[in-house]
Amino acid sequence: MALSTLILATAFGFASPALAKTDKPGPDWIPADQVKQKLMDAGYTSITEFEADDGHWEGEGVKNGVKMEFHVDPKTGALTKEKPDKD
């Protein structure tokens, strides 16, 4: 029983880094400055937070006078999620 528990624990230990999304931009991601420019072109007047998280760019900014949260596709720079920030 102890051996099978050890084997499972070891297997999950090795699998978890592969299952976790990266919090760093990948080599094939559009650079942050280009994404920020696309956001500005889409109507954002300021970007207050911006980072790589869970396999995409995400952050907060102001659009049409409203504080918004957004997610951006890391390879195309397209907005994939956008909603008013409730915080």
Side-chain angles (χ1 to χ4, degrees):
M1 178 76 164
L3 181 58
S4 60
T5 303
L6 178 61
I7 291 170
L8 282 174
T10 304
F12 283 118
F14 286 120
S16 43
L19 296 175
K21 299 276 186 169
T22 182
D23 286 339
K24 291 191 276 185
D28 56 346
W29 284 29
I30 292 176
D33 59 332
Q34 288 181 16
V35 175
K36 289 177 184 178
Q37 184 59 54
K38 285 182 175 248
L39 289 165
M40 300 302 266
D41 293 345
Y44 280 83
T45 54
S46 68
I47 307 298
T48 56
E49 291 185 30
F50 189 82
E51 66 182 347
D53 189 40
D54 294 332
H56 58 260
W57 290 113
E58 74 175 47
E60 297 176 357
V62 177
K63 182 177 182 179
N64 299 323
V66 178
K67 187 175 178 184
M68 303 288 286
E69 294 179 10
F70 58 81
H71 290 180
V72 176
D73 182 282
K75 297 178 184 175
T76 67
L79 277 165
T80 59
K81 182 177 179 182
E82 183 178 45
K83 66 179 187 175
D85 184 11
K86 302 290 184 187
D87 295 337

